[in-house]
Amino acid sequence: MKLEYFKLREFMCPCGCNENDMKREFLQMLDTARYYSQTSYVINSGFRCQDHNDSLSQSKKTSSHIKGYAADIHCTDSTKRALILGGLIEAGFTRLGIAKTFIHVDDDPDKVAGVVWVY
């Protein structure tokens, strides 16, 4: 798979297990969103193995990260947040979580679409 704006290693599980089962369609949508946003994305979290996900106090057992359908994008500035959100929406994402330091985006087919939440 060829991505214009990302390297697959950006989405590897951070625990060191080297797992990375990101879904191709999700990554292509995210690459398109990055194009629309016209600003860089720094990925805080992509794929998570089950052990790593379980070690995180705020992560849910049903996290879309463990299925390869989610990413957290670093963001601490309101202007950049608006650019990133605009690109994600234009690319067709309909599941967004907004935190003080990141934006969660997922395209999990097992979860309800058309939602935005805050952390």
Side-chain angles (χ1 to χ4, degrees):
M1 164 181 22
K2 175 84 168 112
L3 298 172
E4 186 171 342
Y5 296 103
F6 300 103
K7 304 277 188 252
L8 288 176
R9 68 178 174 266
E10 293 178 75
F11 298 92
M12 292 182 91
C13 184
C15 79
C17 70
N18 293 324
E19 285 191 46
N20 185 352
D21 191 21
M22 295 298 295
K23 300 303 181 232
R24 177 186 202 114
E25 302 81 20
F26 173 82
L27 291 176
Q28 289 173 330
M29 269 181 84
L30 194 62
D31 211 46
T32 300
R34 165 55 186 87
Y35 168 79
Y36 289 143
S37 295
Q38 291 299 295
T39 190
S40 62
Y41 286 16
V42 174
I43 304 301
N44 286 347
S45 183
F47 185 78
R48 295 181 193 156
C49 71
Q50 189 67 57
D51 288 341
H52 180 67
N53 192 69
D54 292 348
S55 75
L56 302 173
S57 61
Q58 294 185 10
S59 189
K60 296 182 177 176
K61 299 275 185 211
T62 60
S63 173
S64 299
H65 289 275
I66 60 177
K67 298 191 290 183
Y69 285 111
D72 294 339
I73 304 163
H74 179 77
C75 185
T76 58
D77 157 314
S78 61
T79 301
K80 188 160 185 162
R81 186 174 292 113
L83 291 171
I84 292 170
L85 287 170
L88 292 169
I89 292 166
E90 192 168 349
F93 284 107
T94 63
R95 290 184 48 81
L96 304 165
I98 302 169
K100 190 172 187 172
T101 60
F102 67 92
I103 297 169
H104 170 92
V105 59
D106 76 65
D107 190 31
D108 191 329
D110 297 325
K111 294 184 177 175
V112 66
V115 294
V116 176
W117 64 91
V118 294
Y119 291 93

